[in-house]
Amino acid sequence: MSDINFKQIRFYLLGIFAIIIGLLIWFLNTDFFVKKDYLDFKKTEFNAILFSKKDEHPTKGNKIYLKNGPELIVSRELFDKLKIGDSVIKKADSDSIFFKTDFGVLIDDYNGFKRKKYLESLK
């Protein structure tokens, strides 16, 4: 049997993975993907009830699950104000999500980061 040079094989595999990850990062930052990602959520419309909350992190955003709606990640301070059974509404062609709670209506500019990234890609 011939000797197998494991260091050389490892080097080639590392190079292949680096190229794949580089292409993936490049694709995720292309104008096409940024525009598609922003406009897909902007076109989304739902009117749902908060079904479940998942408290995973004490400072970062946490997941909320909607009955007949998407899974959302909201900021910690908004997460603390929401209760199961609150209404969650998003109209088409809007970046904001409206939360009807006991405290009144809370508005979150949910798509703000994607909008900023999209507008910067237009320059």
Side-chain angles (χ1 to χ4, degrees):
M1 288 237 166
S2 64
D3 292 333
I4 299 174
N5 190 348
F6 288 110
K7 287 184 181 181
Q8 189 175 12
I9 293 172
R10 234 182 287 162
F11 179 73
Y12 287 132
L13 288 175
L14 183 62
I16 291 169
F17 283 124
I19 291 171
I20 291 171
I21 290 172
L23 288 173
L24 184 63
I25 290 171
W26 172 76
F27 175 73
L28 292 177
N29 287 315
T30 60
D31 293 343
F32 170 76
F33 183 78
V34 169
K35 179 181 178 181
K36 183 179 180 319
D37 193 31
Y38 169 67
L39 293 178
D40 283 348
F41 187 79
K42 187 173 177 110
K43 292 177 186 176
T44 304
E45 180 177 13
F46 55 85
N47 185 356
I49 303 293
L50 180 59
F51 180 66
S52 175
K53 294 169 57 173
K54 191 168 184 182
D55 193 359
E56 294 178 332
H57 201 278
T59 58
K60 292 183 181 177
N62 289 299
K63 292 180 183 179
I64 61 172
Y65 300 95
L66 307 178
K67 193 173 194 174
N68 300 326
E71 166 188 311
L72 301 173
I73 299 174
V74 295
S75 67
R76 183 63 200 200
E77 63 183 58
L78 181 59
F79 181 83
D80 291 337
K81 294 177 184 177
L82 296 175
K83 294 180 182 171
I84 294 175
D86 289 345
S87 295
V88 182
I89 301 167
K90 183 187 176 303
K91 297 179 181 179
D93 296 326
S94 173
D95 290 334
S96 299
I97 297 177
F98 299 88
F99 299 91
K100 290 185 181 178
T101 66
D102 296 338
F103 306 111
V105 176
L106 303 173
I107 302 171
D108 183 32
D109 185 13
Y110 192 80
N111 214 16
F113 175 74
K114 291 179 185 178
R115 179 182 58 245
K116 182 180 174 187
K117 195 172 177 181
Y118 169 66
L119 292 175
E120 286 176 2
S121 74
L122 295 176
K123 292 179 183 178

